[in-house]
């Protein structure tokens, strides 16, 4: 009986110490401005829904936002998020193509791609958002409509709901 009591006491003590040690980890405070880091880019040959050939490029990046106010709901279409505003979108990809040994910006509208990341606000008291985001871009092509360039890369950034702009990051080179 005493042996069983000692075992239970030892187990309870170990559990309590583990909880104390885990709960004593330093809380990391991240800035309210979003921060992004390029992770990967993958290009594959594929087809669209009509069976036409496309190059499908998937860009993946890491996102950290201290107050978690990243993303827009479908109802976010007024004020700064109106369809006439640049902030209707919150992910911006600018293409840069190789030209005479240098990467040059592909002019808008074709070279600037804009997307709406959906609302990613974390539930609970801690609103810090840490996530990996992927976006896929399709480039239709055919013999009469060749791909616009053979190698290129993206420069990209995000904007949160408080209109804080992240750092800009650049993908690795995409070769076709």
């Amino acid at each position: 009986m005493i042996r069983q009591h000692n075992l239970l006491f030892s187990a309870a003590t170990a559990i309590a110490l583990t909880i104390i040690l885990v709960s004593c980890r330093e809380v990391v405070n991240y800035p309210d401005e979003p921060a992004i880091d390029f992770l990967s880019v993958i290009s594959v040959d594929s087809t669209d829904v009509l069976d036409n050939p496309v190059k499908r490029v998937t860009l993946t990046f890491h996102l950290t936002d201290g107050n978690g106010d990243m993303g827009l709901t479908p109802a976010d279409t007024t004020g700064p998020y109106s369809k006439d505003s640049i902030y209707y979108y919150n992910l911006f990809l600018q293409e840069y193509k190789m030209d005479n040994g240098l990467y040059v910006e592909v002019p808008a509208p074709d070279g600037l791609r804009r997307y709406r990341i959906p609302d990613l606000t974390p539930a609970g008291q801690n609103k810090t958002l840490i996530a990996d985001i992927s976006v896929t871009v399709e480039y239709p092509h055919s013999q009469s409509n060749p791909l616009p360039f053979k190698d290129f890369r993206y420069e990209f950034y995000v904007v949160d709901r408080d209109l804080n702009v992240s750092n800009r990051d650049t993908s690795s080179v995409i070769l076709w």
Side-chain angles (χ1 to χ4, degrees):
M1 180 82 150
I2 292 174
R3 187 177 195 172
Q4 194 175 29
H5 175 69
N6 285 342
L7 238 130
L8 285 173
F9 179 76
S10 295
T13 303
I15 291 170
L17 284 173
T18 302
I19 291 171
I20 289 170
L21 289 174
V22 169
S23 65
C24 290
R25 277 192 264 162
E26 186 178 330
V27 174
V28 178
N29 290 317
Y30 295 97
D32 290 346
E33 296 79 23
I36 58 170
D37 291 302
F38 168 72
L39 292 176
S40 67
V41 66
I42 299 169
S43 174
V44 296
D45 290 311
S46 189
T47 56
D48 64 14
V49 294
L50 299 174
D51 210 29
N52 297 311
V54 296
K55 292 282 190 179
R56 195 169 277 143
V57 178
T58 301
L59 170 74
T60 303
F61 61 93
H62 185 75
L63 167 71
T64 305
D65 188 46
N67 62 358
D69 65 339
M70 187 71 233
L72 299 167
T73 69
D76 289 328
T77 58
T78 60
Y81 318 118
S82 72
K83 291 190 181 210
D84 299 340
S85 170
I86 188 172
Y87 300 115
Y88 178 76
Y89 301 98
N90 55 10
L91 169 59
F92 300 86
L93 303 179
Q94 178 63 57
E95 295 172 344
Y96 286 80
K97 68 178 180 173
M98 177 62 76
D99 188 17
N100 293 322
L102 297 173
Y103 283 97
V104 296
E105 185 175 301
V106 177
D110 295 335
L112 178 62
R113 298 179 181 275
R114 300 170 297 192
Y115 301 91
R116 284 176 64 103
I117 298 173
D119 185 3
L120 300 175
T121 305
Q125 189 174 5
N126 181 1
K127 296 297 183 191
T128 298
L129 174 65
I130 299 173
D132 291 343
I133 309 286
S134 293
V135 61
T136 300
V137 182
E138 287 188 352
Y139 295 88
H141 63 92
S142 65
Q143 285 185 337
S144 62
N145 179 31
L147 292 166
F149 25 73
K150 295 293 181 204
D151 61 55
F152 69 104
R153 64 184 185 196
Y154 295 117
E155 182 179 276
F156 58 99
Y157 66 96
V158 297
V159 179
D160 68 15
R161 284 191 301 278
D162 284 339
L163 308 183
N164 293 313
V165 178
S166 74
N167 59 301
R168 292 174 185 260
D169 206 353
T170 303
S171 73
S172 58
V173 174
I174 303 143
L175 299 172
W176 287 333

